[in-house]
mmCIF file of all heavy atoms in Angstrom:
data_model
loop_
_atom_site.group_PDB
_atom_site.id
_atom_site.type_symbol
_atom_site.label_atom_id
_atom_site.label_comp_id
_atom_site.label_asym_id
_atom_site.label_seq_id
_atom_site.Cartn_x
_atom_site.Cartn_y
_atom_site.Cartn_z
ATOM 1 N N LYS A 200 0.002 102.519 -190.966
ATOM 2 C CA LYS A 200 1.317 103.093 -191.332
ATOM 3 C C LYS A 200 1.348 103.370 -192.809
ATOM 4 O O LYS A 200 0.926 102.547 -193.631
ATOM 5 C CB LYS A 200 2.401 102.076 -190.984
ATOM 6 C CG LYS A 200 2.492 101.754 -189.498
ATOM 7 C CD LYS A 200 3.556 100.712 -189.210
ATOM 8 C CE LYS A 200 3.556 100.327 -187.728
ATOM 9 N NZ LYS A 200 4.528 99.262 -187.388
ATOM 10 N N SER A 201 1.747 104.638 -193.134
ATOM 11 C CA SER A 201 1.793 105.057 -194.536
ATOM 12 C C SER A 201 3.106 105.693 -194.861
ATOM 13 O O SER A 201 3.740 106.358 -193.995
ATOM 14 C CB SER A 201 0.634 106.032 -194.795
ATOM 15 O OG SER A 201 -0.610 105.485 -194.607
ATOM 16 N N PHE A 202 3.572 105.528 -196.084
ATOM 17 C CA PHE A 202 4.826 106.197 -196.537
ATOM 18 C C PHE A 202 4.437 107.623 -196.926
ATOM 19 O O PHE A 202 3.416 107.875 -197.619
ATOM 20 C CB PHE A 202 5.457 105.519 -197.742
ATOM 21 C CG PHE A 202 5.898 104.080 -197.281
ATOM 22 C CD1 PHE A 202 5.205 102.965 -197.792
ATOM 23 C CD2 PHE A 202 6.994 103.848 -196.522
ATOM 24 C CE1 PHE A 202 5.601 101.692 -197.445
ATOM 25 C CE2 PHE A 202 7.396 102.580 -196.200
ATOM 26 C CZ PHE A 202 6.733 101.525 -196.627
ATOM 27 N N VAL A 203 5.287 108.583 -196.614
ATOM 28 C CA VAL A 203 5.042 109.981 -196.909
ATOM 29 C C VAL A 203 6.318 110.613 -197.475
ATOM 30 O O VAL A 203 7.425 110.088 -197.307
ATOM 31 C CB VAL A 203 4.635 110.773 -195.676
ATOM 32 C CG1 VAL A 203 3.300 110.230 -195.089
ATOM 33 C CG2 VAL A 203 5.683 110.721 -194.569
ATOM 34 N N ILE A 204 6.095 111.740 -198.182
ATOM 35 C CA ILE A 204 7.222 112.589 -198.559
ATOM 36 C C ILE A 204 6.941 113.991 -198.067
ATOM 37 O O ILE A 204 5.776 114.370 -197.905
ATOM 38 C CB ILE A 204 7.447 112.611 -200.084
ATOM 39 C CG1 ILE A 204 6.197 113.068 -200.822
ATOM 40 C CG2 ILE A 204 7.995 111.327 -200.559
ATOM 41 C CD1 ILE A 204 6.412 113.347 -202.354
ATOM 42 N N GLN A 205 7.945 114.691 -197.649
ATOM 43 C CA GLN A 205 7.832 116.047 -197.228
ATOM 44 C C GLN A 205 8.769 116.956 -198.017
ATOM 45 O O GLN A 205 9.956 116.606 -198.227
ATOM 46 C CB GLN A 205 8.144 116.145 -195.741
ATOM 47 C CG GLN A 205 7.953 117.492 -195.107
ATOM 48 C CD GLN A 205 7.975 117.402 -193.600
ATOM 49 O OE1 GLN A 205 7.056 116.911 -192.930
ATOM 50 N NE2 GLN A 205 9.113 117.772 -192.971
ATOM 51 N N TYR A 206 8.270 118.050 -198.489
ATOM 52 C CA TYR A 206 9.001 118.947 -199.387
ATOM 53 C C TYR A 206 8.409 120.320 -199.398
ATOM 54 O O TYR A 206 7.422 120.579 -198.702
ATOM 55 C CB TYR A 206 9.020 118.332 -200.812
ATOM 56 C CG TYR A 206 7.636 118.224 -201.408
ATOM 57 C CD1 TYR A 206 7.132 119.120 -202.233
ATOM 58 C CD2 TYR A 206 6.869 117.063 -201.114
ATOM 59 C CE1 TYR A 206 5.837 118.990 -202.784
ATOM 60 C CE2 TYR A 206 5.597 116.916 -201.598
ATOM 61 C CZ TYR A 206 5.065 117.859 -202.532
ATOM 62 O OH TYR A 206 3.851 117.741 -203.033
ATOM 63 N N ARG A 207 9.010 121.221 -200.120
ATOM 64 C CA ARG A 207 8.480 122.569 -200.376
ATOM 65 C C ARG A 207 7.965 122.637 -201.856
ATOM 66 O O ARG A 207 8.638 122.248 -202.736
ATOM 67 C CB ARG A 207 9.513 123.644 -200.092
ATOM 68 C CG ARG A 207 9.782 123.815 -198.624
ATOM 69 C CD ARG A 207 10.665 125.014 -198.322
ATOM 70 N NE ARG A 207 10.788 125.170 -196.866
ATOM 71 C CZ ARG A 207 9.958 125.887 -196.091
ATOM 72 N NH1 ARG A 207 8.850 126.376 -196.559
ATOM 73 N NH2 ARG A 207 10.197 125.942 -194.776
ATOM 74 N N THR A 208 6.777 123.245 -201.984
ATOM 75 C CA THR A 208 6.212 123.455 -203.307
ATOM 76 C C THR A 208 7.009 124.473 -204.038
ATOM 77 O O THR A 208 7.811 125.199 -203.457
ATOM 78 C CB THR A 208 4.770 123.856 -203.210
ATOM 79 O OG1 THR A 208 4.734 125.165 -202.651
ATOM 80 C CG2 THR A 208 3.951 122.863 -202.307
ATOM 81 N N PRO A 209 6.742 124.671 -205.376
ATOM 82 C CA PRO A 209 7.413 125.705 -206.102
ATOM 83 C C PRO A 209 7.106 127.092 -205.529
ATOM 84 O O PRO A 209 7.951 128.022 -205.779
ATOM 85 C CB PRO A 209 6.864 125.585 -207.513
ATOM 86 C CG PRO A 209 6.520 124.120 -207.649
ATOM 87 C CD PRO A 209 6.033 123.746 -206.251
ATOM 88 N N GLU A 210 6.038 127.243 -204.803
ATOM 89 C CA GLU A 210 5.741 128.485 -204.177
ATOM 90 C C GLU A 210 6.426 128.709 -202.843
ATOM 91 O O GLU A 210 6.276 129.737 -202.178
ATOM 92 C CB GLU A 210 4.173 128.664 -203.972
ATOM 93 C CG GLU A 210 3.402 128.698 -205.253
ATOM 94 C CD GLU A 210 3.240 127.283 -205.822
ATOM 95 O OE1 GLU A 210 3.166 126.356 -205.060
ATOM 96 O OE2 GLU A 210 3.189 127.204 -207.072
ATOM 97 N N GLY A 211 7.190 127.631 -202.391
ATOM 98 C CA GLY A 211 7.915 127.755 -201.162
ATOM 99 C C GLY A 211 7.132 127.306 -199.903
ATOM 100 O O GLY A 211 7.614 127.456 -198.827
ATOM 101 N N LYS A 212 6.010 126.705 -200.098
ATOM 102 C CA LYS A 212 5.159 126.298 -198.996
ATOM 103 C C LYS A 212 5.477 124.816 -198.643
ATOM 104 O O LYS A 212 5.660 123.989 -199.472
ATOM 105 C CB LYS A 212 3.693 126.381 -199.324
ATOM 106 C CG LYS A 212 3.183 127.751 -199.610
ATOM 107 C CD LYS A 212 1.701 127.802 -199.995
ATOM 108 C CE LYS A 212 1.221 129.189 -200.287
ATOM 109 N NZ LYS A 212 -0.218 129.177 -200.626
ATOM 110 N N PRO A 213 5.675 124.518 -197.271
ATOM 111 C CA PRO A 213 5.945 123.170 -196.869
ATOM 112 C C PRO A 213 4.751 122.279 -197.161
ATOM 113 O O PRO A 213 3.599 122.675 -196.983
ATOM 114 C CB PRO A 213 6.186 123.298 -195.370
ATOM 115 C CG PRO A 213 5.511 124.566 -194.952
ATOM 116 C CD PRO A 213 5.579 125.491 -196.141
ATOM 117 N N LYS A 214 4.985 121.051 -197.616
ATOM 118 C CA LYS A 214 3.871 120.124 -197.942
ATOM 119 C C LYS A 214 4.299 118.650 -197.574
ATOM 120 O O LYS A 214 5.432 118.309 -197.774
ATOM 121 C CB LYS A 214 3.603 120.234 -199.418
ATOM 122 C CG LYS A 214 2.388 119.440 -199.888
ATOM 123 C CD LYS A 214 2.024 119.769 -201.327
ATOM 124 C CE LYS A 214 0.768 119.034 -201.818
ATOM 125 N NZ LYS A 214 0.405 119.441 -203.207
ATOM 126 N N ARG A 215 3.353 117.940 -197.047
ATOM 127 C CA ARG A 215 3.583 116.575 -196.707
ATOM 128 C C ARG A 215 2.471 115.750 -197.399
ATOM 129 O O ARG A 215 1.284 116.157 -197.321
ATOM 130 C CB ARG A 215 3.554 116.404 -195.176
ATOM 131 C CG ARG A 215 3.813 114.956 -194.756
ATOM 132 C CD ARG A 215 3.658 114.855 -193.226
ATOM 133 N NE ARG A 215 4.597 115.671 -192.536
ATOM 134 C CZ ARG A 215 4.374 116.283 -191.362
ATOM 135 N NH1 ARG A 215 3.206 116.164 -190.755
ATOM 136 N NH2 ARG A 215 5.290 116.976 -190.793
ATOM 137 N N ALA A 216 2.838 114.637 -198.013
ATOM 138 C CA ALA A 216 1.831 113.863 -198.761
ATOM 139 C C ALA A 216 2.068 112.410 -198.619
ATOM 140 O O ALA A 216 3.229 111.914 -198.548
ATOM 141 C CB ALA A 216 1.897 114.245 -200.233
ATOM 142 N N VAL A 217 1.021 111.630 -198.563
ATOM 143 C CA VAL A 217 1.076 110.189 -198.461
ATOM 144 C C VAL A 217 1.272 109.632 -199.879
ATOM 145 O O VAL A 217 0.631 110.046 -200.812
ATOM 146 C CB VAL A 217 -0.220 109.607 -197.861
ATOM 147 C CG1 VAL A 217 -0.202 108.088 -197.963
ATOM 148 C CG2 VAL A 217 -0.363 110.025 -196.400
ATOM 149 N N ILE A 218 2.247 108.707 -200.042
ATOM 150 C CA ILE A 218 2.499 108.086 -201.347
ATOM 151 C C ILE A 218 2.140 106.646 -201.401
ATOM 152 O O ILE A 218 2.204 106.034 -202.477
ATOM 153 C CB ILE A 218 3.977 108.314 -201.796
ATOM 154 C CG1 ILE A 218 4.900 107.668 -200.781
ATOM 155 C CG2 ILE A 218 4.322 109.808 -201.901
ATOM 156 C CD1 ILE A 218 6.356 107.618 -201.275
ATOM 157 N N GLY A 219 1.780 106.041 -200.280
ATOM 158 C CA GLY A 219 1.397 104.615 -200.270
ATOM 159 C C GLY A 219 1.203 104.099 -198.886
ATOM 160 O O GLY A 219 1.747 104.660 -197.932
ATOM 161 N N ARG A 220 0.479 103.020 -198.789
ATOM 162 C CA ARG A 220 0.267 102.397 -197.462
ATOM 163 C C ARG A 220 1.214 101.233 -197.252
ATOM 164 O O ARG A 220 1.395 100.348 -198.153
ATOM 165 C CB ARG A 220 -1.188 101.904 -197.348
ATOM 166 C CG ARG A 220 -1.558 101.331 -196.005
ATOM 167 C CD ARG A 220 -3.035 100.902 -195.997
ATOM 168 N NE ARG A 220 -3.955 102.004 -196.186
ATOM 169 C CZ ARG A 220 -5.226 101.868 -196.254
ATOM 170 N NH1 ARG A 220 -5.820 100.713 -196.115
ATOM 171 N NH2 ARG A 220 -6.015 102.956 -196.469
ATOM 172 N N TYR A 221 1.780 101.169 -196.069
ATOM 173 C CA TYR A 221 2.656 100.070 -195.723
ATOM 174 C C TYR A 221 1.872 98.780 -195.643
ATOM 175 O O TYR A 221 0.805 98.758 -195.032
ATOM 176 C CB TYR A 221 3.352 100.320 -194.395
ATOM 177 C CG TYR A 221 4.291 99.223 -193.975
ATOM 178 C CD1 TYR A 221 5.324 98.804 -194.790
ATOM 179 C CD2 TYR A 221 4.142 98.569 -192.769
ATOM 180 C CE1 TYR A 221 6.183 97.798 -194.410
ATOM 181 C CE2 TYR A 221 5.032 97.567 -192.380
ATOM 182 C CZ TYR A 221 6.019 97.160 -193.194
ATOM 183 O OH TYR A 221 6.924 96.185 -192.840
ATOM 184 N N GLY A 222 2.346 97.753 -196.297
ATOM 185 C CA GLY A 222 1.592 96.475 -196.357
ATOM 186 C C GLY A 222 1.110 96.239 -197.752
ATOM 187 O O GLY A 222 1.228 95.108 -198.321
ATOM 188 N N LEU A 223 0.651 97.333 -198.410
ATOM 189 C CA LEU A 223 0.322 97.297 -199.795
ATOM 190 C C LEU A 223 1.508 97.628 -200.641
ATOM 191 O O LEU A 223 1.577 97.321 -201.824
ATOM 192 C CB LEU A 223 -0.830 98.171 -200.141
ATOM 193 C CG LEU A 223 -2.157 97.928 -199.406
ATOM 194 C CD1 LEU A 223 -3.183 98.970 -199.779
ATOM 195 C CD2 LEU A 223 -2.704 96.513 -199.722
ATOM 196 N N MET A 224 2.465 98.341 -200.047
ATOM 197 C CA MET A 224 3.718 98.743 -200.701
ATOM 198 C C MET A 224 4.886 98.379 -199.779
ATOM 199 O O MET A 224 4.845 98.614 -198.603
ATOM 200 C CB MET A 224 3.674 100.242 -200.985
ATOM 201 C CG MET A 224 4.887 100.844 -201.582
ATOM 202 S SD MET A 224 4.776 102.652 -201.789
ATOM 203 C CE MET A 224 3.608 102.756 -203.200
ATOM 204 N N THR A 225 5.945 97.882 -200.381
ATOM 205 C CA THR A 225 7.130 97.553 -199.550
ATOM 206 C C THR A 225 7.935 98.777 -199.260
ATOM 207 O O THR A 225 7.747 99.850 -199.962
ATOM 208 C CB THR A 225 8.001 96.493 -200.239
ATOM 209 O OG1 THR A 225 8.597 97.076 -201.449
ATOM 210 C CG2 THR A 225 7.196 95.248 -200.623
ATOM 211 N N VAL A 226 8.873 98.677 -198.402
ATOM 212 C CA VAL A 226 9.734 99.883 -198.094
ATOM 213 C C VAL A 226 10.543 100.251 -199.325
ATOM 214 O O VAL A 226 10.662 101.380 -199.655
ATOM 215 C CB VAL A 226 10.640 99.522 -196.910
ATOM 216 C CG1 VAL A 226 11.635 100.677 -196.639
ATOM 217 C CG2 VAL A 226 9.845 99.257 -195.599
ATOM 218 N N GLU A 227 11.051 99.245 -199.983
ATOM 219 C CA GLU A 227 11.931 99.587 -201.132
ATOM 220 C C GLU A 227 11.095 100.138 -202.290
ATOM 221 O O GLU A 227 11.601 101.011 -203.070
ATOM 222 C CB GLU A 227 12.691 98.308 -201.598
ATOM 223 C CG GLU A 227 13.802 97.940 -200.649
ATOM 224 C CD GLU A 227 14.675 99.089 -200.282
ATOM 225 O OE1 GLU A 227 15.155 99.774 -201.186
ATOM 226 O OE2 GLU A 227 14.907 99.270 -199.035
ATOM 227 N N GLU A 228 9.896 99.691 -202.514
ATOM 228 C CA GLU A 228 9.008 100.219 -203.578
ATOM 229 C C GLU A 228 8.718 101.714 -203.159
ATOM 230 O O GLU A 228 8.738 102.573 -204.044
ATOM 231 C CB GLU A 228 7.731 99.441 -203.620
ATOM 232 C CG GLU A 228 7.844 98.110 -204.252
ATOM 233 C CD GLU A 228 6.606 97.228 -204.166
ATOM 234 O OE1 GLU A 228 5.747 97.534 -203.314
ATOM 235 O OE2 GLU A 228 6.486 96.275 -204.963
ATOM 236 N N ALA A 229 8.424 101.949 -201.939
ATOM 237 C CA ALA A 229 8.163 103.297 -201.482
ATOM 238 C C ALA A 229 9.372 104.196 -201.626
ATOM 239 O O ALA A 229 9.271 105.354 -201.998
ATOM 240 C CB ALA A 229 7.688 103.314 -200.013
ATOM 241 N N ARG A 230 10.562 103.669 -201.336
ATOM 242 C CA ARG A 230 11.765 104.473 -201.449
ATOM 243 C C ARG A 230 12.026 104.838 -202.945
ATOM 244 O O ARG A 230 12.367 106.024 -203.191
ATOM 245 C CB ARG A 230 13.006 103.636 -200.959
ATOM 246 C CG ARG A 230 14.340 104.422 -200.957
ATOM 247 C CD ARG A 230 15.459 103.518 -200.558
ATOM 248 N NE ARG A 230 15.262 102.975 -199.195
ATOM 249 C CZ ARG A 230 15.541 103.634 -198.108
ATOM 250 N NH1 ARG A 230 16.033 104.887 -198.173
ATOM 251 N NH2 ARG A 230 15.307 103.064 -196.921
ATOM 252 N N ARG A 231 11.815 103.909 -203.817
ATOM 253 C CA ARG A 231 11.950 104.294 -205.206
ATOM 254 C C ARG A 231 10.957 105.334 -205.689
ATOM 255 O O ARG A 231 11.351 106.306 -206.404
ATOM 256 C CB ARG A 231 11.860 103.003 -206.093
ATOM 257 C CG ARG A 231 12.983 102.038 -206.019
ATOM 258 C CD ARG A 231 12.973 100.999 -207.085
ATOM 259 N NE ARG A 231 11.808 100.111 -206.918
ATOM 260 C CZ ARG A 231 11.917 98.976 -206.226
ATOM 261 N NH1 ARG A 231 13.030 98.581 -205.668
ATOM 262 N NH2 ARG A 231 10.823 98.191 -206.155
ATOM 263 N N LEU A 232 9.741 105.230 -205.258
ATOM 264 C CA LEU A 232 8.727 106.201 -205.625
ATOM 265 C C LEU A 232 8.972 107.548 -205.007
ATOM 266 O O LEU A 232 8.929 108.604 -205.661
ATOM 267 C CB LEU A 232 7.340 105.725 -205.219
ATOM 268 C CG LEU A 232 6.163 106.672 -205.517
ATOM 269 C CD1 LEU A 232 6.054 106.911 -207.032
ATOM 270 C CD2 LEU A 232 4.800 106.037 -204.999
ATOM 271 N N ALA A 233 9.460 107.553 -203.743
ATOM 272 C CA ALA A 233 9.757 108.793 -203.064
ATOM 273 C C ALA A 233 10.942 109.475 -203.744
ATOM 274 O O ALA A 233 10.960 110.699 -203.919
ATOM 275 C CB ALA A 233 10.140 108.519 -201.638
ATOM 276 N N HIS A 234 11.983 108.688 -204.146
ATOM 277 C CA HIS A 234 13.119 109.282 -204.839
ATOM 278 C C HIS A 234 12.643 109.936 -206.122
ATOM 279 O O HIS A 234 13.084 111.085 -206.464
ATOM 280 C CB HIS A 234 14.142 108.166 -205.118
ATOM 281 C CG HIS A 234 15.370 108.675 -205.814
ATOM 282 N ND1 HIS A 234 15.469 108.627 -207.218
ATOM 283 C CD2 HIS A 234 16.488 109.281 -205.386
ATOM 284 C CE1 HIS A 234 16.644 109.176 -207.582
ATOM 285 N NE2 HIS A 234 17.256 109.561 -206.489
ATOM 286 N N GLU A 235 11.777 109.293 -206.881
ATOM 287 C CA GLU A 235 11.301 109.829 -208.154
ATOM 288 C C GLU A 235 10.577 111.151 -207.930
ATOM 289 O O GLU A 235 10.760 112.085 -208.645
ATOM 290 C CB GLU A 235 10.366 108.829 -208.804
ATOM 291 C CG GLU A 235 9.687 109.255 -210.030
ATOM 292 C CD GLU A 235 8.646 108.269 -210.560
ATOM 293 O OE1 GLU A 235 8.975 107.022 -210.489
ATOM 294 O OE2 GLU A 235 7.569 108.685 -210.946
ATOM 295 N N LYS A 236 9.723 111.176 -206.904
ATOM 296 C CA LYS A 236 8.974 112.432 -206.635
ATOM 297 C C LYS A 236 9.827 113.520 -206.069
ATOM 298 O O LYS A 236 9.659 114.694 -206.408
ATOM 299 C CB LYS A 236 7.790 112.115 -205.714
ATOM 300 C CG LYS A 236 6.762 111.173 -206.343
ATOM 301 C CD LYS A 236 5.561 110.993 -205.484
ATOM 302 C CE LYS A 236 4.466 110.163 -206.183
ATOM 303 N NZ LYS A 236 3.980 110.795 -207.396
ATOM 304 N N LEU A 237 10.825 113.249 -205.251
ATOM 305 C CA LEU A 237 11.713 114.229 -204.681
ATOM 306 C C LEU A 237 12.635 114.754 -205.789
ATOM 307 O O LEU A 237 13.092 115.934 -205.662
ATOM 308 C CB LEU A 237 12.429 113.641 -203.527
ATOM 309 C CG LEU A 237 11.579 113.319 -202.292
ATOM 310 C CD1 LEU A 237 12.365 112.543 -201.249
ATOM 311 C CD2 LEU A 237 11.034 114.650 -201.694
ATOM 312 N N VAL A 238 12.989 113.962 -206.743
ATOM 313 C CA VAL A 238 13.780 114.504 -207.882
ATOM 314 C C VAL A 238 12.917 115.520 -208.624
ATOM 315 O O VAL A 238 13.445 116.570 -209.043
ATOM 316 C CB VAL A 238 14.192 113.338 -208.852
ATOM 317 C CG1 VAL A 238 14.676 113.904 -210.156
ATOM 318 C CG2 VAL A 238 15.303 112.504 -208.177
ATOM 319 N N ALA A 239 11.651 115.258 -208.819
ATOM 320 C CA ALA A 239 10.760 116.191 -209.431
ATOM 321 C C ALA A 239 10.705 117.543 -208.637
ATOM 322 O O ALA A 239 10.675 118.625 -209.230
ATOM 323 C CB ALA A 239 9.316 115.636 -209.578
ATOM 324 N N VAL A 240 10.748 117.468 -207.306
ATOM 325 C CA VAL A 240 10.760 118.657 -206.501
ATOM 326 C C VAL A 240 12.031 119.460 -206.821
ATOM 327 O O VAL A 240 11.998 120.708 -206.930
ATOM 328 C CB VAL A 240 10.696 118.286 -205.006
ATOM 329 C CG1 VAL A 240 10.986 119.525 -204.166
ATOM 330 C CG2 VAL A 240 9.365 117.651 -204.621
#
């Protein structure tokens, strides 16, 4: 099980990326990291 984010790149292309593995990262840690990256989007 891995945490992922899904978004569109600046070119408009859909993209999905793994940001961490469950077990090595908690749900709340992953949520904070995902929020940071989606703000960048």
